[in-house]
Amino acid sequence: MEQVQATEHKTVPVQITVLQGNNLKGSKGKSFLSFVRAEFNGAVLGESQKVEALPDQRVEYSFTCSFDCWSGAHTPDDMAHKPLILTVIEILPKEKKQKEERTVVLGQAVVDLLPLLHGQRTITSTALLHMTPESPGETPPQEDSSRPALEVTICVPDALLSDAQLAQSNLLRVAVETAYSVPEAWSTGTGPPFSYVAALPMPLSTQKEQVLLFSNGLLKAGGEREPVPRPKKWPQGHLLAPGAQFMPGASIEGEPIEMEDGDLTGMEDREFRSEAETNGRRVSWDTERRCFMEPEALAGLAQRIMDCRYWPVEVMRSVQGGATKGGKAGKDKAGEEEAPISFHGVAYVDLGPLLYPGAKRIRGAYLLRPFYEADVQAKTKRSGSVLRESMRAPPAQLRGRVPSAMGSAQWRPTAGKIPDPHKGPKEGPKDPPKKPAAQGKPAPAENSTEVDTPMNVEGQMYEEARTYIVIEIALEKPLVPKRPPEELAKRVMELIPPRPPLPRLPAGAERAVQEYHAQVSSVVGQVLEQYQQLFGAALVPGGTLDPTTQEQRKSQLLGELNYSGKYFAFKEQMKHSVVRIVREKMLRTEAFSDQERLQAFLSQLYVFLVDEMHVALNKTLSVDGQETQQHPLLDSAQLKHFAREAHLNEDYQLAAHYYQERLARDRQDPAHWFDYGAFYMLTGDHLKAQECFQQAVSVDQSHLPSLLLCGILAEMGERFEEAETFLERATSVDPTSVVAWTVFGLFYVGRENHIQAEMAFLEATRQLRAALGSTLLPGDEAKEEGLGGRSSSISCSPVNKTDAEEDRDSVASGSQVSQESGGGGGEEEASNGEPVTPQSPQSPPRLKTTIYRETVQFLLENNAVKMAERALAQELLFPEGGLSSSYYLALARLQLQCGEFSSAEASLKEALDGSIQNPDAWALTGHLHYMLGSYSKAQTCYERTLDFVTDASDTHPIYLRLAHIYLQEEQFEKAKHTYLRACRSSPSCLTWLGVGIACYRLGDLTEAEDALTEANVLNNANPEVWGYLSLVCLRTGRRLEAEQSYKYAIKLDLQKEPLLREIKELQAQVGFGNPAF
């Protein structure tokens, strides 16, 4: 930094050379005498020598001048927003009795110096010459090649900015476009000409600010839309000739309303905006102010946005030419009130999105509101008015402190052929006296104890007309850089190195024999094809051949194979597989030194090859010889289902067994590792869960759920940098994932980084709307009351936020839980007791769900309880969420997982009060009563759940628990029916076991045995299944099977004493079944 400051003040000369002029014409149409004047930043840099030339001929000026950059008079900021002005002036011939020579301006050209700030050292430009209204001659043609122009070269000996300065600096562009739906009091009729001014502050450092003034607003009548694209103007446009005021290469581009960042972006505002932008009067600036931002200024801008995200843009109207000399009124009439500003309004621009990672631009329509210092102070944490301060400042001070359109260089041409620029209003005449009490003193209140704020009557007209101003603020580089996906992927690889693919195992002897079989089958197929070609026509179905014919055909076939070369090809085809058998089956890799041993080995090899050839022939030619590949009886999805069943019964050892079996089958599937990690999250073993999730990421670096859970566990371990890397990587892996963006935002909520959280929540909401297609929830607009008394758009200030600001505040209101001084202006007003402004009746479309509900579901399914609590807190604060039935239902699920049964019962009561026909709420209530041992209440809830037309989201545990209650109550027919319903949807060992028990109790031993057999097939290690099989065999008199079943039940440690007692009693009754006796 010290090195940057050392080179910061080193002056660099900027040399300007006007080489020649092309297609110039004099006022008389004959030879003319002219010269070029160069100006920059209000200073005349020099004039060329007077050159005489003929019309349309090249005029050689060869004029050179310069100025010093980084000097006190000229700074990079001046070069960013002020052009080099080149004026061609003709010297007219002297007339009789004329003492002084007369001049006339032929035209004016401008050159943009911005490329010098981008590191260029030379600019070569053909600057078009724009005619002034007073310029003589004909209208220039449309073709650029024949238009008057100046050939200009600008160069610097050294780069204006070093590489370090280029990397640390930035370029800010502020474009004030148009104000629409202006008050009715503004008219384009007769009366004094008015000037329309917009102003906003911009930091020079962390302590100093400058004011950007846009003073060249033009009132236009309606009737048609503003053309798009249209060129942007220089802030010094009023100083330049027509045509020269447009910035080269810069234009205003239109964009859809839904892509804007400001107000009035809702569907209900489209018609109003279309009417205002087509038929309404408007004030057009179309001006862009570029600011060169040094590191200190960038730090100041970022700090101010973090302190308060809302930025005031003030607007006023004044009479042209009515400005007073700054500061005189205060000196002449000390203590007298300052003259009010006419039509003083303010728009609040939310600059918070500029702190989103990678964000470089905001653009939108912002509502104008009456200016009140108290409101501005509360909303933006700024005191005073930048317009009033600019009016107070003397011209010299204004120019040194405010490099803007009103305080910029003022060029006055010779003979006054170009009009003098108008200056900004100070303290002079006001509007016509049609609003004499616009901002005067109010009538004294009877019970007033403090000085009341004067009523801004003229400013109120903005709200009555719903005036809005379109503003664009863009940066060349983002304030907060966004890490590219490649960097995130590299960082994740550093944290969790990818697991290399399993090494390919050597083929082995078995693989060599299989390859030999495959080659034999291939050769056989080709030989049969050749045989078909030779003798196919002579074949008789079912007929037999005599030995002579067979031998003839054999000889003919061998001859054909030898003659065609196929016999040799077959040998070559078989050679590789025979070599592999020798090396891998016979384990011979070296040459034989003993001939006898070689012969013995060849005999052994021949016998082996012939035997294996016959095996291959039998497989190929035999119909019954085809081997069917055996598949595992249970697939991965069934094993996962069985594991979840074990969760339900709290048999965690069995659940772990199923997860381990899935991993044993395929360790390269990241889903297997992820589910195993979610199981450890349930048991509370976060260390093992982290290992499983990391294994999943090592297998697949783009596995989204594992990245999310790695980030959550890293945050729980206070490894915040790792957590941010994992979660940000998850959003880059799937940018459309609502859950990924929401979890990313929840992480920033925990870090109290509300702007980043808002960015993530906004993106999650955008993706959710895209996924659901903005499907409306019928009647949602009428449901706002009762959801905690919150409106669908929360505003913590006297200003009515709408549309895009509502969307942003709706997700930000949940993220800004802690009230802090740097959290933005909205939180301050809430603490100061300002009223919450209700939303207009036309609310934005509501979605069927929220980003937090979607995320809570994912987090609860994977047992991330802490993050789920945070998501539910945001759902409670979310305007489209609140105290809804869905919220209470999710809260009850969370409380059940945490073992908070009393709290869960209260939450479920609230959920049922809000939605009495919600099957999930009744199902969860049944689970609560089942876990508390209230089986009769659980039965009632389960039965009611199954009676609904709409099924619950997970009916399997309902079937299992309800059927278990029926068994306990000896309602065996109902138990059988319920277990069979479970078998139809999700068959498992437990469901078939329940069917078998019910059938056994009903006395249907055949069906009981069939059901128990199905259960045994799905899990042959369940001791209860073997115990009931033993009972069935005892009842049917099968002694051997009864003993074997009982032996397996005891071996697998049957723990149910009533069942053991029943088996022993039946064994004693029938006299067999226990091999111990």
Side-chain angles (χ1 to χ4, degrees), residues 205-243:
S205 65
T206 54
Q207 303 295 331
K208 300 179 182 179
E209 282 188 344
Q210 62 177 337
V211 179
L212 308 184
L213 289 173
F214 301 81
S215 60
N216 54 341
L218 177 63
L219 181 64
K220 298 180 179 179
E224 62 180 1
R225 286 182 174 270
E226 293 291 309
V228 175
R230 59 186 184 275
K232 295 180 180 179
K233 300 176 184 177
W234 292 100
Q236 300 80 15
H238 57 279
L239 304 178
L240 305 173

Coordinates of all heavy atoms in Angstrom, one line a residue, residues 205-243:
S205 N -13.2 8.7 0.0 CA -12.4 7.9 1.0 C -13.4 7.4 2.0 O -14.6 7.6 1.9 CB -11.3 8.7 1.5 OG -11.7 9.7 2.3
T206 N -12.8 6.9 3.1 CA -13.7 6.4 4.2 C -14.2 7.6 5.0 O -15.2 7.5 5.7 CB -12.9 5.5 5.2 OG1 -11.7 6.2 5.6 CG2 -12.5 4.2 4.5
Q207 N -13.7 8.8 4.8 CA -14.1 10.0 5.5 C -14.7 11.1 4.6 O -15.5 11.8 5.1 CB -12.9 10.6 6.3 CG -12.2 9.6 7.3 CD -13.1 9.2 8.4 OE1 -14.0 9.9 8.8 NE2 -12.9 8.0 8.9
K208 N -14.3 11.2 3.4 CA -14.7 12.3 2.5 C -15.7 11.8 1.5 O -15.7 10.6 1.1 CB -13.5 12.9 1.8 CG -12.5 13.5 2.8 CD -11.3 14.1 2.1 CE -10.2 14.6 3.0 NZ -9.1 15.2 2.3
E209 N -16.5 12.7 1.0 CA -17.5 12.4 0.0 C -17.5 13.5 -1.1 O -17.1 14.6 -0.8 CB -18.9 12.3 0.5 CG -19.2 11.0 1.2 CD -20.6 10.8 1.6 OE1 -21.3 11.8 1.6 OE2 -21.0 9.7 1.9
Q210 N -17.9 13.2 -2.3 CA -18.2 14.1 -3.3 C -19.7 14.0 -3.7 O -20.3 13.0 -3.3 CB -17.3 13.9 -4.5 CG -17.5 12.5 -5.2 CD -16.7 12.3 -6.4 OE1 -16.3 13.3 -7.1 NE2 -16.4 11.1 -6.8
V211 N -20.2 15.0 -4.4 CA -21.6 15.0 -4.8 C -21.6 14.9 -6.3 O -21.0 15.7 -7.0 CB -22.3 16.2 -4.3 CG1 -23.7 16.2 -4.7 CG2 -22.2 16.3 -2.7
L212 N -22.3 14.0 -6.8 CA -22.5 13.8 -8.2 C -23.8 14.5 -8.6 O -24.9 14.2 -8.1 CB -22.6 12.4 -8.6 CG -21.5 11.4 -8.2 CD1 -21.7 10.1 -8.7 CD2 -20.1 12.0 -8.5
L213 N -23.7 15.6 -9.5 CA -24.9 16.4 -9.8 C -25.2 16.1 -11.3 O -24.3 16.1 -12.2 CB -24.6 17.9 -9.6 CG -24.5 18.3 -8.2 CD1 -24.1 19.8 -8.1 CD2 -25.9 18.2 -7.5
F214 N -26.5 16.0 -11.6 CA -27.0 15.8 -13.0 C -28.0 16.9 -13.2 O -29.1 16.9 -12.7 CB -27.6 14.4 -13.1 CG -26.7 13.3 -12.9 CD1 -26.5 12.8 -11.6 CD2 -26.1 12.6 -13.9 CE1 -25.6 11.8 -11.3 CE2 -25.2 11.6 -13.6 CZ -25.0 11.2 -12.3
S215 N -27.5 17.9 -13.9 CA -28.3 19.2 -14.0 C -28.9 19.4 -15.3 O -29.5 20.5 -15.5 CB -27.4 20.4 -13.6 OG -26.3 20.5 -14.5
N216 N -28.8 18.5 -16.2 CA -29.3 18.8 -17.6 C -30.6 18.0 -17.9 O -30.8 17.6 -19.0 CB -28.2 18.5 -18.6 CG -27.7 17.0 -18.4 OD1 -27.9 16.4 -17.4 ND2 -27.1 16.5 -19.5
G217 N -31.5 17.9 -16.9 CA -32.7 17.2 -17.2 C -33.6 18.0 -18.1 O -33.7 19.2 -18.0
L218 N -34.3 17.3 -19.0 CA -35.1 17.9 -20.0 C -36.5 17.4 -19.9 O -36.8 16.2 -20.0 CB -34.6 17.6 -21.4 CG -35.4 18.1 -22.6 CD1 -35.4 19.7 -22.6 CD2 -34.8 17.6 -23.9
L219 N -37.5 18.3 -19.7 CA -38.9 17.9 -19.6 C -39.5 17.6 -21.0 O -39.3 18.4 -21.9 CB -39.7 19.0 -18.9 CG -41.2 18.7 -18.7 CD1 -41.4 17.5 -17.8 CD2 -41.9 19.9 -18.2
K220 N -40.1 16.4 -21.1 CA -40.6 16.0 -22.4 C -42.1 15.7 -22.2 O -42.6 15.2 -21.2 CB -39.9 14.8 -23.0 CG -38.4 15.0 -23.2 CD -37.9 13.7 -23.8 CE -36.4 13.9 -24.1 NZ -35.8 12.6 -24.6
A221 N -42.9 15.9 -23.3 CA -44.3 15.5 -23.3 C -44.3 14.0 -23.7 O -43.4 13.5 -24.3 CB -45.0 16.3 -24.4
G222 N -45.4 13.4 -23.3 CA -45.6 12.0 -23.6 C -46.0 11.8 -25.0 O -46.1 12.7 -25.9
G223 N -46.4 10.5 -25.3 CA -46.8 10.2 -26.6 C -46.1 9.0 -27.2 O -46.7 8.3 -28.1
E224 N -44.9 8.7 -26.8 CA -44.2 7.6 -27.3 C -43.1 7.2 -26.3 O -42.7 8.0 -25.4 CB -43.6 7.9 -28.6 CG -42.5 9.0 -28.6 CD -42.0 9.3 -30.0 OE1 -42.3 8.6 -30.9 OE2 -41.1 10.2 -30.1
R225 N -42.7 6.0 -26.4 CA -41.6 5.6 -25.5 C -40.3 6.1 -25.8 O -40.0 6.5 -27.0 CB -41.5 4.0 -25.5 CG -42.6 3.3 -24.8 CD -42.4 1.8 -24.8 NE -43.4 1.1 -24.0 CZ -43.3 0.8 -22.8 NH1 -42.2 1.2 -22.1 NH2 -44.2 0.2 -22.1
E226 N -39.4 6.2 -24.9 CA -38.0 6.6 -25.1 C -37.4 5.5 -26.0 O -37.5 4.3 -25.8 CB -37.2 6.7 -23.8 CG -37.7 7.9 -22.9 CD -37.4 9.2 -23.6 OE1 -36.2 9.4 -23.9 OE2 -38.3 10.1 -23.7
P227 N -36.6 5.9 -27.0 CA -36.0 4.9 -27.9 C -35.0 4.1 -27.1 O -34.3 4.6 -26.2 CB -35.4 5.7 -29.0 CG -35.1 7.1 -28.4 CD -36.3 7.3 -27.4
V228 N -34.9 2.8 -27.5 CA -33.9 1.9 -26.9 C -33.3 1.1 -28.1 O -34.0 0.5 -28.9 CB -34.6 0.9 -25.9 CG1 -33.6 -0.1 -25.4 CG2 -35.2 1.7 -24.8
P229 N -31.9 1.1 -28.1 CA -31.0 1.8 -27.3 C -30.9 3.3 -27.7 O -31.2 3.6 -28.8 CB -29.7 1.0 -27.5 CG -29.8 0.5 -28.9 CD -31.2 0.2 -29.1
R230 N -30.5 4.1 -26.7 CA -30.2 5.5 -27.0 C -28.9 5.9 -26.3 O -28.5 5.3 -25.3 CB -31.4 6.4 -26.5 CG -31.7 6.2 -25.0 CD -32.9 7.0 -24.6 NE -33.2 7.0 -23.2 CZ -33.8 6.1 -22.5 NH1 -34.3 5.1 -23.2 NH2 -34.0 6.2 -21.2
P231 N -28.2 6.8 -26.9 CA -26.8 7.1 -26.4 C -26.9 7.8 -25.0 O -27.9 8.6 -24.7 CB -26.2 8.0 -27.5 CG -27.4 8.6 -28.1 CD -28.5 7.6 -28.1
K232 N -25.9 7.6 -24.2 CA -25.7 8.3 -23.0 C -25.0 9.6 -23.2 O -24.2 9.8 -24.2 CB -24.9 7.5 -22.0 CG -25.7 6.2 -21.5 CD -24.8 5.4 -20.5 CE -25.6 4.2 -20.1 NZ -24.8 3.3 -19.2
K233 N -25.2 10.6 -22.3 CA -24.6 11.9 -22.5 C -23.5 12.1 -21.5 O -23.5 11.5 -20.4 CB -25.7 13.0 -22.3 CG -26.8 12.9 -23.2 CD -27.9 14.0 -22.9 CE -29.1 13.9 -23.8 NZ -30.2 14.8 -23.4
W234 N -22.6 13.0 -21.8 CA -21.6 13.5 -20.9 C -22.2 14.3 -19.8 O -23.2 15.0 -20.1 CB -20.5 14.3 -21.6 CG -19.6 13.5 -22.6 CD1 -19.8 13.5 -23.9 CD2 -18.5 12.7 -22.2 NE1 -18.8 12.7 -24.5 CE2 -18.0 12.2 -23.5 CE3 -17.9 12.4 -21.1 CZ2 -16.9 11.4 -23.5 CZ3 -16.8 11.6 -21.1 CH2 -16.3 11.1 -22.3
P235 N -21.6 14.3 -18.6 CA -22.2 15.2 -17.6 C -22.0 16.7 -18.0 O -22.8 17.5 -17.5 CB -21.3 14.9 -16.3 CG -20.8 13.6 -16.6 CD -20.6 13.4 -18.1
Q236 N -21.1 17.0 -18.9 CA -20.9 18.4 -19.3 C -21.6 18.6 -20.7 O -21.2 19.4 -21.5 CB -19.4 18.6 -19.6 CG -18.6 18.5 -18.3 CD -18.2 17.1 -18.0 OE1 -18.4 16.2 -18.9 NE2 -17.8 16.8 -16.8
G237 N -22.7 17.9 -20.9 CA -23.4 17.9 -22.1 C -23.9 19.3 -22.5 O -23.9 19.7 -23.7
H238 N -24.2 20.1 -21.5 CA -24.7 21.5 -21.8 C -23.6 22.4 -22.2 O -23.8 23.5 -22.7 CB -25.4 22.1 -20.5 CG -24.5 22.1 -19.3 ND1 -24.3 21.0 -18.5 CD2 -23.7 23.1 -18.8 CE1 -23.5 21.3 -17.6 NE2 -23.1 22.5 -17.7
L239 N -22.3 21.9 -22.1 CA -21.2 22.7 -22.5 C -20.8 22.4 -24.0 O -19.9 23.0 -24.5 CB -20.0 22.5 -21.6 CG -20.2 22.7 -20.1 CD1 -18.9 22.4 -19.4 CD2 -20.6 24.2 -19.9
L240 N -21.4 21.4 -24.5 CA -20.9 20.9 -25.8 C -21.9 21.2 -26.9 O -23.1 21.4 -26.7 CB -20.7 19.4 -25.7 CG -19.7 18.9 -24.6 CD1 -19.7 17.4 -24.5 CD2 -18.3 19.5 -24.8
A241 N -21.4 21.0 -28.1 CA -22.3 21.2 -29.3 C -23.2 20.0 -29.4 O -22.9 18.9 -28.9 CB -21.4 21.3 -30.6
P242 N -24.4 20.2 -30.1 CA -25.3 19.1 -30.3 C -24.6 18.0 -31.0 O -23.9 18.2 -32.1 CB -26.4 19.7 -31.1 CG -26.4 21.2 -30.8 CD -24.9 21.5 -30.6
G243 N -24.7 16.8 -30.5 CA -24.0 15.6 -31.1 C -22.8 15.3 -30.3 O -22.4 14.1 -30.1

